[in-house]
Amino acid sequence: MASTVFYGSIHPSTTLFPKTQLSISVDKHYGYSCRSKSRVRQIKAAIVEAPPEPTTSQSGVGIDDVRRQPPKRLRVLVAGGGIGGLVFALAAKRKGFDVKVFERDLSAIRGEGQYRGPIQIQSNALAALEAIDLEVAEEIMNAGCITGDRINGLCDGVSGSWYIKFDTFTPAAERGLPVTRVISRMTLQQILACAVGEDIIINDSNVTEFEDDGNKVIAVLENGQRYEGDLLVGADGIWSKVRRKLFGPKEAMYSGYTCYTGIADFVPADIESVGYRVFLGHKQYFVSSDVGGGKMQWYAFHKEPAGGIDPPSGKKERLLKIFEGWCDNVIDLILTTNENEILRRDIYDRTPILTWGKGRVTLLGDSVHAMQPNMGQGGCMAIEDGFQLALELEKAWKRSVESGSPVDVVSSLKSYEGARRLRVAIIHGMARMAAVMASTYKAYLGVGLGPLSFLTQFRIPHPGRVGGRVFIDIAMPLMLTWVLGGNSSKLEGRPLCCRLSDKANDQLRRWFTDDDALERAMSGEWLLFPCGDEASASRPLCLSKDENKPYIIGSVSHTDISGISIVIPSPYVSKKHARISCKDGSFFLTDLRSEHGSWITDKEGKRYRVPPKFPTQFHPSDVIEFGHKKVAFRVKVMKVPPKIANREKETGIVQAV
C-alpha cells in the first residue's frame, strides 16, 4: 500500500515521521553525534515512499487542488552539509524558507575533514556571512585567527627572501569589511550547523538521485527514502552525485600536484608580523600559515603523477628530501610535525561550466566550480554562492507576492547562475594561474636546465623572476581589491560600517617596504647554531640584544672586556678574532683584524669577507665563519630556543666546545 506524508501546513493531521530523522548534537571530538528522534513531530519537507494517489482532505478539498495554490513558503532541499551547503541553508532559513539538509557524514565534512585542516575565510566571504546572519558571522570571526592584519606574500623557497608582499588589510579596511581569518573547518561547521538547527539537518543521509517533473523535485536517498521540495541544491562537493545526474559522468581534472599537509606545534619568531607565506620553487612549493593556538598549518605541493603512495612512516623523510636545501622556515615546520599527522592527497579541480543546473535543480560550491587552493577562495566562493542563491529566491518570492502568481523557481536559479558565473570563473582561473606561477618560479638562470644547472652558481637573476615581479607589483593590488572587496556592494542586508575591532600594527605600512624593520619586529631569541666540522660539537650560542654587552669571539677567554667572551679553541680562530654587537635591534659582526678573517654567507648563497674594523650586519639564515668553513655557525631566530647551559648571565664567558 502506498503511504504518503504530506507537507505539514497542508494536512497537519497526517504529519508523521519514521524514526529515521536524526538530530545533531555537539560531540567533544568531532563536534557532532547523531541520535534518533523518539517522538513524533511536524516536519517541513515531505517524505514520499511512492507517488501520491489523489486524496481528499477533511474539508473536502482535493490535495492536488491545494497544491495548485501558491505555497506559503518554498521547500528547499540541500544535498550536502559542508560549508557551502550549511551557509546556503542558513541564508535560506533566514529568508523564511523551509529547508532540509541531507548530509552523509557531518562529523567528517563529507569524509574529508581529516585531510583539509583549517580553512582561510577571506574578507569577501566574511562580509557575505555578515549579510546572512551578523551574530553567526561574529561567532565565526571570534573563533578564527586573524592573519589579514599582518604581512602575507610570496617568498623564495631556498633563501626565504621576500619576493612579493600582499596587503590584504587595506582592501578590507577601506570598505569596512572584516579582515581575513583562519578557522578550523570543524569549528566552522559546528557554528553553522548549530545556527541552521538540528531539526533541519538530517545526518547519515546521502542524496543519490532526484526526479524533477517541472512542478516539484524529489530527492532520493541512498536508503530509498524520497523527499519532496520546490528545488534541490547540489552542494555535495567535487564528486557530486547531483552534478553527475544533471550532466552525466565527467571526471575531475588532476592539477598535476600531490599535496602533503600538517599542523606543527611551532611558533615562528615573526608570528606577530607575518600571517602566511608561499615559498616558491621549481615544480614544488610550500605554504605556511598561522592558525592560532601556538600552531602552524602547512601545505607542501610537489609535481608528480596522481595516485602515489608513501611507505609506512615515510612521508616526513620524503618531504625532507624533496625540500632539501630550502630555508629554515620550511624545514622547521616539517621537522616539528609528527609523522602520523602528515597527510597526503592529490589536488583536483573542475573546469567552470556555463550552465549550473536544469529546471528546479542547481549546483553550489565545489560541486560546480571546485578550484585549487592557491587563492584560498574555494570555500569563500561557496559562501558567496549561498548568499546569492538565497537572495535570488527571495526576489522571486517577492515578485510572486506582488503578482499573485506562483514563485518562478526556474528563473531565480538562472538569475543566480548569471550573477555568479563570471566572478567564479575569473577567480578559478586565478587559482590555476597561481599554481603555475608558484611551481615554475626560477630564482636564477640554470635552475631546471639539467646540464646547464652550473649557471646557478653565478647567481644571475632569472628573467622570468624579474618580469614576474614587475607584473605582480602592478596587478596584485588591483586583484586583491577586486577579489576581497569587489562583491561587497552587492551584499544586500549588510550594514555599511567600519570594523574598528580589526586593527593592524602601526608598523604594517613600513614592513611592506623595509625588510630590516620587519626583521627587527621578530620577538624571538637570536642564536648561532654550529654547522661546521670543528664547530659541530659546540652548543648553540644565544645572543643578547643588550647594546652594552658585545660578544668577543676568540681562541682564549678575555676577562678584561666589558662584554661576553666566547671561546672557540681552533687553529683558525685568532686570540681576539671578532666582535658581535647589537644596535637598534639589529646584529653586526666586526672582524678584529684576525689572521684568517671572518666570513658571511648570506641566505642568497653569496659568500663575502667581512672588512676589518667595519661592523657588517648579518641576518637570520646567514652562515658566519670564523677563519674557516670548519668553524661555521648558522644564524637562527627562535620563539622558543633550545636550553643552553652556558648563559652569559651565569659566567660572562661562553665556552663554545
Side-chain angles (χ1 to χ4, degrees), residues 458-469:
F458 299 109
R459 294 294 189 266
I460 303 172
H462 195 283
R465 174 189 180 187
V466 178
R469 182 165 187 167

Side-chain angles (χ1 to χ4, degrees), residues 409-451:
V409 172
V410 176
S411 293
S412 66
L413 298 186
K414 291 297 182 184
S415 297
Y416 152 68
E417 293 179 22
R420 295 293 301 149
R421 190 183 297 117
L422 180 60
R423 177 171 169 83
V424 165
I426 292 174
I427 292 178
H428 186 283
M430 288 179 175
R432 282 188 174 179
M433 183 176 66
V436 172
M437 184 189 72
S439 59
T440 58
Y441 168 87
K442 298 177 182 178
Y444 305 107
L445 282 177
V447 174
L449 293 182

Side-chain angles (χ1 to χ4, degrees), residues 97-148:
F97 303 136
D98 283 334
V99 187
K100 275 295 173 189
V101 178
F102 308 100
E103 173 51 48
R104 184 182 63 186
D105 183 5
L106 193 67
S107 68
I109 313 178
R110 299 194 301 281
E112 296 179 347
Q114 64 168 330
Y115 295 102
R116 306 188 72 179
I119 181 174
Q120 184 181 78
I121 308 183
Q122 299 185 21
S123 301
N124 55 309
L126 291 171
L129 288 170
E130 285 186 320
I132 293 169
D133 189 311
L134 188 58
E135 290 185 4
V136 172
E138 287 288 347
E139 187 176 356
I140 290 171
M141 287 186 280
N142 290 337
C145 169
I146 300 177
T147 58

Side-chain angles (χ1 to χ4, degrees), residues 572 577-578 589-591 594-602 606-611 616-618 622-633 635:
Y572 302 105
H577 194 103
L589 174 66
T590 304
D591 184 78
S594 62
E595 180 181 354
H596 299 288
S598 302
W599 303 77
I600 293 178
T601 302
D602 66 19
K606 298 177 182 178
R607 182 174 180 264
Y608 56 91
R609 185 167 184 167
V610 176
T616 302
Q617 186 177 358
F618 59 87
D622 286 354
V623 174
I624 299 176
E625 303 168 21
F626 299 109
H628 196 277
K629 290 182 179 180
K630 293 182 177 181
V631 189
F633 294 82
V635 183

Side-chain angles (χ1 to χ4, degrees), residues 246-280:
L246 278 171
F247 304 115
K250 186 175 181 181
E251 295 298 323
M253 183 176 293
Y254 179 52
S255 66
Y257 294 90
T258 194
C259 174
Y260 293 86
T261 183
I263 298 180
D265 290 316
F266 182 80
V267 180
D270 55 7
I271 192 71
E272 296 171 5
S273 54
V274 178
Y276 74 84
R277 277 179 283 221
V278 181
F279 297 91
L280 309 176

Side-chain angles (χ1 to χ4, degrees), residues 164 258 286 360:
I164 293 291
T258 194
F286 191 97
R360 291 175 173 265

